[in-house]
Amino acid sequence: SFGSDTGGSVRQPASYCGIYGLKPTYGKLSRYGLISHASSLDCPGIFTRSVVDMALLLDVVSDHPDINDPSHYSSLYTNKESFSDSTKFSSSYNSFKEEYEELHVNNYQYLFNELNQYDTFLEENNFNLSDLTIGVPDEYYIDELSQETKDCWNHSLQLLKDNGAKIQSVSLPHTKYAIPCYYIIAPAESSSNLARYDGIRYGFSADKTKINTTDDQYNLSRIEGFGDEVRRRILTGSFVLSQNSYDTFFMKAQQIRQLITNDFQKAFSNVDVLLTPTTLSSAYSLDKVQNNLDPIEEYCNDIFTVPSSLAGVPALSVPVSLSPQTKLPIGVQLIGNYNNELSLLKVGLAFEKLINFCKFNYPNVL
């Protein structure tokens, strides 16, 4: 199935549910048709029960040129100078589209075929992963990380090491700024995108018997239509975009975002993929979510998924084990360089074969 991943909204549920969740490289999948939250972060993502299914689905939906999404990477190949002339642009785009679709047909099921070859390689070489270098970010060992998740992470690293993979520590020094950076940029873009929901043209409209003026229409529709968290983000975003706060908050956050991106690029010059936890713990209990979940605690749970969203690099959540206490799934996250989803799928396939997560018996938790 599909979801939208802004700061981890595909990877975290996948980890909680014991399935695979992929956030592709930003721009690899068209955002056309996706309801906008934070446009520079939103990314269509994929949930599957196996890595092979992930490859099949990604082959089908990725890399198709889309004139309707200017953030789609195919827009890089069109002649931007001809945008003012619709005839020239249409001709340029259609020419590119024909060439690219011919290439795509010739390479149809590329990821699936590559993954099948790698599966055969693993079987024939007794799961020898000696050609793989795994990076472990030092900054991801944080106090808030639960012991069960830390054990799952260490177990995953040891499993890869036992099969020949090289484990190397890397530094992502600006990780500590990722959460505040994200919760400035995302609400700012969200408040802008959600301004269209005025009760007249888009979305929910308040009961007409309560409305006397146009201001009533706007106010009641937005008060009744948006939940507490959405209103909280709209207010935060409006504040950081205000004249007195724009340079202090929003522009500074964009500068930090670039530093986070640079950290990843430096790390990928030495390793193939990064291996991190996906979440701080297994899924919260229903009682905690309904009654006692602190918004700040909820924000902090994004610490492992937000950095890759800010950098726009692909990331895959892989199920690894069950919590000894709750018997609920715990996953780890693989992060790759731009357009290197294939490496993530290969390592994910190795995990799938070595761990055989489907062997675990789920308790009746409902």
Side-chain angles (χ1 to χ4, degrees), residues 14 17 39 90 92-93 99 115 118 125 135 150 196 223 332 340:
C17 296
S39 300
S90 177
S92 172
Y93 180 81
E99 293 176 9
L115 213 57
Y118 191 67
N125 292 274
K150 190 180 296 184
R196 73 191 70 177
I223 289 171
V332 295
N340 199 13

Side-chain angles (χ1 to χ4, degrees), residues 13 80 92 149 156 160 174 180 182 198 211 264 267 295 330 359:
K80 291 183 172 59
S92 172
T149 305
S156 303
L160 294 176
H174 297 93
Y182 174 83
D198 54 12
I211 298 171
F264 277 106
I330 301 175
K359 70 184 178 185

Side-chain angles (χ1 to χ4, degrees), residues 127-356:
F127 291 92
N128 183 354
L129 303 174
S130 58
D131 60 338
L132 188 65
T133 302
I134 302 292
V136 183
D138 296 330
E139 292 77 11
Y140 282 46
Y141 285 98
I142 58 176
D143 295 338
E144 294 82 1
L145 185 62
S146 67
Q147 187 60 48
E148 60 185 14
T149 305
K150 190 180 296 184
D151 292 341
C152 170
W153 187 16
N154 291 333
H155 168 69
S156 303
L157 290 168
Q158 189 61 48
L159 185 65
L160 294 176
K161 187 176 181 180
D162 291 343
N163 285 274
K166 295 179 281 293
I167 308 298
Q168 181 176 324
S169 294
V170 299
S171 179
L172 302 174
H174 297 93
T175 294
K176 60 185 177 182
Y177 303 118
I179 290 294
C181 177
Y182 174 83
Y183 280 103
I184 290 173
I185 294 174
E189 296 185 5
S190 178
S191 69
S192 178
N193 280 321
L194 295 178
R196 73 191 70 177
Y197 292 93
D198 54 12
I200 299 175
R201 295 167 297 173
Y202 296 96
F204 174 83
S205 184
D207 185 352
K208 288 182 171 55
T209 61
K210 302 177 183 178
I211 298 171
N212 295 314
T213 66
T214 304
D215 284 347
D216 289 344
Q217 176 83 60
Y218 293 156
N219 293 336
L220 290 174
S221 295
R222 291 173 70 82
I223 289 171
E224 295 176 9
F226 292 139
D228 291 342
E229 179 58 31
V230 177
R231 289 201 295 269
R232 187 181 295 119
R233 296 197 184 196
I234 289 174
L235 289 171
T236 303
S238 298
F239 170 74
V240 300
L241 289 176
S242 64
Q243 184 175 1
N244 294 332
S245 303
Y246 184 84
D247 290 335
T248 306
F249 292 98
F250 186 74
M251 289 305 297
K252 186 64 69 175
Q254 294 287 16
Q255 292 167 352
I256 293 172
R257 182 181 190 174
Q258 185 59 55
L259 295 176
I260 292 171
T261 302
N262 295 343
D263 287 345
F264 277 106
Q265 291 309 297
K266 184 177 180 180
F268 288 128
S269 65
N270 299 309
V271 301
D272 298 309
V273 297
L274 302 176
L275 180 63
T276 77
T278 306
T279 58
L280 290 170
S281 64
S282 57
Y284 296 124
S285 67
L286 185 59
D287 177 67
K288 184 172 184 178
V289 172
Q290 290 178 332
N291 301 311
N292 302 309
L293 188 58
D294 179 11
I296 302 301
E297 181 182 354
E298 189 177 2
Y299 294 168
C300 290
N301 199 46
D302 297 339
I303 183 62
F304 302 124
T305 52
V306 156
S308 53
S309 292
L310 289 169
V313 294
L316 172 68
S317 181
V318 177
V320 172
S321 66
L322 297 182
S323 163
Q325 285 77 36
T326 63
K327 304 302 180 186
L328 294 174
I330 301 175
V332 295
Q333 178 182 221
L334 299 166
I335 304 174
N337 206 349
Y338 296 112
N339 288 312
N340 199 13
E341 283 81 3
L342 180 59
S343 290
L344 301 184
L345 295 175
K346 285 182 175 180
V347 181
L349 180 66
F351 269 122
E352 184 176 345
K353 298 291 185 179
L354 290 168
I355 294 174
N356 188 20

